[in-house]
Amino acid sequence: MSNFANRGRTLERWFYLATKAGQMVSVAPDAALDADAGDCGVVEVEGLRYRVRLSPK
């Protein structure tokens, strides 16, 4: 699986788990991403923005 696919999957999984927990989640498409740092995307949860990042465990 490519690194790009891993990042997409990470964002989807984070979104799914937050929604399953009852949070109101939306993707912030206007946020700048730092691909070198492993950013997958930025989401908004009840008005707060969270940067979802893929990094080694």
Side-chain angles (χ1 to χ4, degrees), residues 30-51:
D30 60 336
L33 299 178
D34 183 1
D36 293 334
D39 287 355
C40 298
V42 177
V43 295
E44 289 188 10
V45 180
E46 299 180 3
L48 298 174
R49 284 190 172 200
Y50 294 91
R51 185 170 306 274

Side-chain angles (χ1 to χ4, degrees), residues 6-53:
N6 286 338
R7 290 180 187 192
R9 177 73 176 130
T10 299
L11 186 61
E12 288 174 5
R13 184 73 176 157
W14 198 98
F15 194 90
Y16 168 77
L17 291 172
T19 303
K20 185 177 176 183
Q23 302 295 321
M24 296 296 294
V25 182
S26 63
V27 176
D30 60 336
L33 299 178
D34 183 1
D36 293 334
D39 287 355
C40 298
V42 177
V43 295
E44 289 188 10
V45 180
E46 299 180 3
L48 298 174
R49 284 190 172 200
Y50 294 91
R51 185 170 306 274
V52 179
R53 186 170 279 172

